[in-house]
């Protein structure tokens, strides 16, 4: 089955020249990729360059969006601006934005609504901050954290088609730590999220909604995460802008 691989560049690389080199890598190595779907989400200042350079096998994503198409909002980027650059995906509610920019659940909810209104696909990030023993999936507090995040983020929303939304399970402790969540736990937590989706929306949506995993994905472990039965793909952070690691990843897909 085709899997979704989203590359979140975060705030890297530091220059347009380096960004171009990375886009060329995507262009070159994505040509042979048949079934998997690649989404490149660079910093917004590089989006238009990415659109020109990543090639037609890769799709474009943004790392943030404002929740209105209004004029008076210094420094922000509107859904319509992203649409005009042919971006299709937007990462929303990443733990780094929640923590350092104080992005609240209400903001996350408003951003998802804005995306759906303008036909952008939100990639909603959820995940617990601390590692709970080994079996996170049976931890009541992990379940509570995830369900609360989902409840708030999707409050008042009707998700009709599985292609309208992507949920990314990103345990915060696994991000940038070199220690990904255990594969079996990821499988169980994705199943837990599907259970929530079935209760809140429908069984049918729960079965088909793409739910992906993010946190310390690299060339060595990516295939095992892509093989997960319950999982629809991965969200890659650091490895997206590390040229050697990126080439190794793209060669494996
Ligand atoms: P790392 O792959 O660097 O752990 O980052 C994951 C992430 O935050 C992707 O959104």
């Amino acid at each position: 089955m085709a899997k979704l691989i989203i590359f979140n560049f975060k705030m890297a690389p530091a220059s347009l020249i380096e960004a171009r080199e990375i886009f060329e890598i995507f262009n070159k190595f994505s040509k042979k990729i048949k079934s998997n779907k690649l989404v490149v989400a660079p910093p917004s200042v590089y989006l238009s360059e990415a659109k020109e350079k990543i090639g037609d096998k890769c799709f474009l994503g943004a790392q943030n969006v404002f929740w209105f198409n209004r004029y008076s909002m210094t420094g922000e980027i509107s859904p319509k601006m992203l649409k005009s650059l042919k971006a299709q995906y937007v990462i929303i509610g990443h733990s780094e934005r929640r923590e350092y920019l104080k992005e609240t659940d209400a903001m996350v909810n408003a951003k998802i609504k804005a995306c759906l209104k303008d036909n952008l696909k939100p990639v909603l990030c959820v995940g617990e901050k601390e590692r709970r023993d080994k079996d996170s999936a049976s931890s009541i507090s992990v379940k509570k954290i995830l369900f609360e995040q989902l409840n708030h983020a999707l409050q008042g929303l009707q998700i009709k088609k599985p292609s309208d939304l992507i949920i990314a399970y990103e345990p915060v402790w696994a991000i940038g730590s070199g220690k990904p969540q255990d594969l079996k736990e990821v499988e169980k937590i994705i199943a837990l999220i599907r259970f929530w989706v079935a209760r809140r929306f429908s069984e049918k949506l729960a079965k088909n909604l793409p739910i992906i995993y993010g946190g310390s994905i690299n060339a060595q472990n990516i295939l095992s995460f892509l093989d997960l039965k319950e999982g629809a793909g991965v969200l890659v952070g650091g490895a997206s802008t590390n040229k050697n690691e990126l080439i190794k990843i793209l060669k494996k897909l």
Side-chain angles (χ1 to χ4, degrees):
M1 200 181 66
K3 298 276 168 138
L4 180 67
I5 301 116
I6 304 179
F7 293 89
N8 175 9
F9 284 32
K10 309 196 180 187
M11 205 168 67
S15 72
L16 180 60
I17 295 173
E18 291 164 273
R20 275 191 197 126
E21 288 169 12
I22 296 168
F23 299 148
E24 296 292 355
I25 292 174
F26 275 102
N27 193 331
K28 181 170 169 203
F29 290 92
S30 62
K31 287 201 166 82
K32 288 195 197 121
I33 298 173
K34 293 221 167 61
S35 56
N36 292 323
K37 190 166 186 179
L38 308 193
V39 176
V40 178
S44 57
V45 286
Y46 303 143
L47 277 171
S48 51
E49 189 74 14
K51 181 173 106 119
E52 302 301 323
K53 297 262 166 30
I54 53 178
D56 49 16
K57 284 285 184 124
C58 298
F59 297 83
L60 197 58
Q63 296 175 22
N64 186 30
V65 69
F66 190 65
W67 54 84
F68 284 131
N69 282 301
R70 63 190 264 182
Y71 159 71
S72 314
M73 197 40 69
T74 303
E76 289 296 315
I77 296 160
S78 73
K80 291 223 178 340
M81 289 173 187
L82 296 180
K83 283 296 283 187
S84 79
L85 289 175
K86 306 269 184 291
Q88 296 183 29
Y89 296 80
V90 187
I91 299 170
I92 294 179
H94 193 284
S95 57
E96 288 152 10
R97 296 193 59 85
R98 290 184 196 253
E99 179 166 358
Y100 301 110
L101 294 153
K102 305 291 168 241
E103 195 161 285
T104 63
D105 285 321
M107 292 178 194
V108 169
N109 178 254
K111 288 178 181 195
I112 295 177
K113 283 183 180 149
C115 282
L116 294 176
K117 201 163 154 220
D118 272 307
N119 285 319
L120 289 160
K121 291 181 201 303
V123 180
L124 165 63
C125 300
V126 293
E128 76 280 12
K129 264 199 190 146
E130 273 129 47
R131 177 160 212 179
R132 313 277 161 167
D133 310 323
K134 273 212 146 167
D135 55 352
S136 313
S138 16
S139 152
I140 294 177
S141 57
V142 170
K143 191 168 150 182
K144 190 165 171 271
I145 291 164
L146 295 177
F147 286 7
E148 266 178 24
Q149 287 176 342
L150 291 165
N151 272 326
H152 287 129
L154 300 173
Q155 196 180 8
L157 277 166
Q158 271 319 316
I159 305 290
K160 294 192 184 94
K161 309 187 293 300
S163 55
D164 283 348
L165 173 76
I166 292 126
I167 297 176
Y169 166 55
E170 284 209 314
V172 182
W173 54 265
I175 297 176
S177 67
K179 294 190 184 84
Q181 172 64 287
D182 183 75
L183 279 164
K184 282 200 185 101
E185 292 301 308
V186 172
E187 190 86 297
K188 285 192 224 161
I189 287 182
I190 293 180
L192 205 60
I193 296 174
R194 288 200 191 286
F195 165 79
W196 182 90
V197 175
R199 231 178 31 180
R200 167 70 172 76
F201 297 103
S202 70
E203 288 281 352
K204 196 169 162 213
L205 189 76
K207 228 171 126 192
N208 300 308
L209 193 80
I211 304 177
I212 64 178
Y213 166 78
S216 294
I217 292 289
N218 56 32
Q220 232 195 330
N221 62 26
I222 190 164
L223 292 183
S224 348
F225 282 94
L226 290 178
D227 270 351
L228 289 177
K229 200 163 85 28
E230 291 280 344
V234 291
L235 180 51
V236 182
S240 313
T241 50
N242 172 332
K243 286 186 258 173
N244 290 338
E245 196 66 18
L246 176 64
I247 293 173
K248 281 194 217 156
I249 287 183
L250 294 174
K251 280 183 171 170
K252 287 199 167 177
L253 300 176

